[in-house]
Amino acid sequence: MIKPRHFLTLLDRTPAELQNLINTAIRLKDERNNGIKHRELDGKTLAMIFEKSSTRTRISFETGMYELGGHPMFLSSRDIQLGRGETIKDTARVLSRYVHGIMIRTFGHERVVELAEYSTVPVINALTDSFHPCQIMADMMTMQEKFGKIKGLKVAYIGDGNNMAQSWINAAAQMGFHIAIASPKGYWVDYDVVSRAEKYAEKNGGKITLTHHVEEAAENAHVVYTDVWASMGQEEESQKRIKDFQGYQVTREVMNLALKGAVFMHCLPAHRGEEVSEEVLESENSVIFDEAENRLHVQKAILIDCIGGI
Ligand code: CP
Ligand code: NVA
């Protein structure tokens, strides 16, 4: 059997393929703005499994499938047997008999990997504890729109070494830009993710810097990025994390260390007054809603790429 065209991390495609997805997304955005309709996924159904909450991911995937002529099926793990202990491998094989693609948001990354292993239709990662590749695709598309390129830019990521930070590492390694991550002690990204990405970075001209110093990361950056200090599933650690992350808020002063014309990005949802000040979030340099919009366009490109041909 031919392996389905899964999209689990940014390492699942070549740099040229990732660039192609971004170019397609920009074209789809332009065509949507000009009222051009699409039917690439006519007759195709996407199962969308959510084991965590979502606003952007759910709505952009549902709208994207609909706009491509396909059918999105929202499946909360609270309502399907997966939430009552049915195994991932059985769920994968059952859903594969009905639908043309499966999108999943879950906890451990190994759940997505197992789903993909047993599924005979493409699986798309819509966030795990380790990676959020669809978000970073939208962010890179936003970089391309703002700066006309992705290669050679510097992205400063200030905060938790979480799923967003780890996907940024893969993105920089693949697309040839510099990711500089400033995190407090005890909150660094996984060493395994870095060492794997380093091999790609060497080949593609990417650079990965890890530091405890916000200034070192932010200096001369084109993009300053942050994310929540407590991700989904870490709610009980919130108070401890607020203490541990003091000094890691993106403020006007931090933005001033970046290049003139630098943009502020955040995957959202944001916690004003924690990882970012209200002033920066609402500033002219903030492109947070462009990023959110671009989820729709880039995921349409990913959907066509994964399930358009089956
Ligand atoms: N950025 C993002 O994935 O948002 P949601 O959690 O609302 O889907
Ligand atoms: N790091 C955040 C991202 C949300 C889109 C989380 O996992 O909750």
Side-chain angles (χ1 to χ4, degrees):
M1 194 194 75
I2 302 167
K3 196 167 166 264
R5 200 163 164 75
H6 302 307
F7 190 78
L8 307 189
T9 76
L10 296 171
L11 303 182
D12 286 345
R13 296 287 184 277
T14 64
E17 286 171 333
L18 294 176
Q19 185 62 60
N20 208 20
L21 287 171
I22 291 166
N23 296 347
T24 303
I26 290 172
R27 173 177 58 79
L28 291 170
K29 182 174 184 173
D30 187 56
E31 290 174 354
R32 185 177 194 257
N33 288 338
N34 288 301
I36 296 170
K37 302 261 187 283
H38 285 266
R39 303 295 301 168
E40 280 89 338
L41 300 186
D42 193 9
K44 303 274 166 70
T45 297
L46 178 74
M48 299 170 40
I49 304 173
F50 282 88
E51 298 195 294
K52 290 176 175 171
S53 306
S54 169
T55 297
R56 281 144 288 269
T57 305
R58 176 181 176 180
I59 297 167
S60 56
F61 264 106
E62 279 205 34
T63 307
M65 260 322 265
Y66 169 75
E67 291 188 4
L68 292 169
H71 172 57
M73 189 186 285
F74 174 72
L75 303 167
S76 158
S77 58
R78 278 191 295 274
D79 305 321
I80 59 174
Q81 300 287 8
L82 184 66
R84 296 183 57 248
E86 186 165 17
T87 60
I88 282 272
K89 60 185 181 183
D90 288 353
T91 304
R93 287 174 288 184
V94 170
L95 291 187
S96 295
R97 299 290 178 108
Y98 303 130
V99 302
H100 303 90
I102 305 170
M103 186 234 80
I104 180 165
R105 165 167 288 196
T106 187
F107 290 87
H109 190 72
E110 67 285 351
R111 287 176 75 71
V112 173
V113 172
E114 189 180 359
L115 189 77
E117 192 185 329
Y118 285 92
S119 171
T120 56
V121 298
V123 172
I124 298 172
N125 175 5
L127 182 147
T128 63
D129 291 344
S130 305
F131 300 105
H132 194 3
C134 292
Q135 177 67 49
I136 299 293
M137 288 299 288
D139 298 336
M140 289 196 290
M141 174 181 172
T142 311
M143 282 158 68
Q144 175 136 336
E145 288 177 332
K146 303 295 169 195
F147 299 102
K149 62 175 185 176
I150 298 166
K151 202 175 175 66
L153 299 182
K154 180 180 180 186
V155 177
Y157 178 99
I158 316 288
D160 189 22
N162 61 15
N163 43 11
M164 296 308 315
Q166 298 197 151
S167 278
W168 272 117
I169 287 174
N170 284 347
Q174 285 276 62
M175 301 302 280
F177 62 89
H178 182 187
I179 180 73
I181 301 180
S183 308
K185 207 161 165 262
Y187 294 97
W188 274 23
V189 291
D190 257 355
Y191 179 70
D192 287 353
V193 171
V194 181
S195 72
R196 181 148 191 237
E198 289 281 13
K199 296 189 188 82
Y200 291 77
E202 256 170 51
K203 205 164 59 189
N204 302 321
K207 187 174 169 192
I208 302 160
T209 303
L210 305 179
T211 176
H212 291 310
H213 304 290
V214 172
E215 303 73 26
E216 187 186 345
E219 198 173 51
N220 293 327
H222 297 81
V223 174
V224 179
Y225 200 101
T226 189
D227 183 21
V228 291
W229 290 338
S231 286
M232 289 182 275
Q234 298 173 331
E235 288 77 5
E236 283 175 10
E237 298 173 28
S238 289
Q239 289 314 312
K240 175 174 173 9
R241 283 170 173 261
I242 287 174
K243 286 197 200 94
D244 293 348
F245 281 86
Q246 284 315 303
Y248 286 84
Q249 184 183 94
V250 177
T251 57
R252 171 62 50 205
E253 291 68 41
V254 173
M255 288 305 294
N256 286 342
L257 294 167
L259 289 174
K260 198 165 176 288
V263 297
F264 170 74
M265 286 189 170
H266 192 309
C267 56
L268 301 178
H271 289 190
R272 291 165 158 79
E274 291 186 19
E275 74 273 8
V276 58
S277 68
E278 170 87 14
E279 183 190 21
V280 169
L281 199 70
E282 298 290 350
S283 69
E284 271 185 11
N285 308 70
S286 172
V287 296
I288 53 176
F289 300 113
D290 294 325
E291 295 173 75
E293 176 185 336
N294 286 341
R295 293 290 302 278
L296 170 67
H297 311 299
V298 94
Q299 286 161 195
K300 282 161 97 171
I302 294 168
L303 285 165
I304 294 171
D305 177 60
C306 289
I307 65 179
I310 63 170

